[in-house]
């Protein structure tokens, strides 16, 4: 499964980085980016928390 951030929607709040720092980082411009192209099963729960915690709905998963 792939985890993605829509950089056009990202509100630069950093919530995803606070929730799952092993999955996300913030670029210099504040936009979040995913650290790993493929999401391992061990990070599913953290990814779901980040998706729910994103105030603008910029994070999603895809097969």
């Amino acid at each position: 499964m792939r985890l993605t951030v829509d950089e056009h929607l990202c509100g630069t709040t950093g919530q995803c980085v606070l929730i799952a720092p092993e999955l996300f980082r913030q670029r210099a411009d504040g936009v979040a980016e995913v650290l790993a192209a493929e999401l391992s099963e061990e990070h599913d729960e953290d990814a779901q928390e980040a998706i729910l915690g994103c105030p603008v709905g910029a994070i999603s998963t895809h097969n």
Side-chain angles (χ1 to χ4, degrees):
M1 186 166 13
R2 295 185 73 103
L3 186 63
T4 59
V5 174
D6 183 332
E7 66 180 55
H8 300 291
L9 286 178
C10 181
T12 67
T13 66
Q15 290 300 307
C16 58
V17 178
L18 292 172
I19 293 168
E22 69 282 1
L23 298 176
F24 301 93
R25 73 177 182 135
Q26 273 186 292
R27 301 186 318 210
D29 63 358
V31 174
E33 66 182 3
V34 178
L35 294 174
E38 291 292 321
L39 184 63
S40 66
E41 285 186 31
E42 72 181 67
H43 291 117
D44 280 348
E45 188 175 318
D46 292 332
Q48 291 304 316
E49 285 183 39
I51 289 168
L52 294 173
C54 180
V56 295
I59 305 168
S60 60
T61 55
H62 306 276
N63 290 330

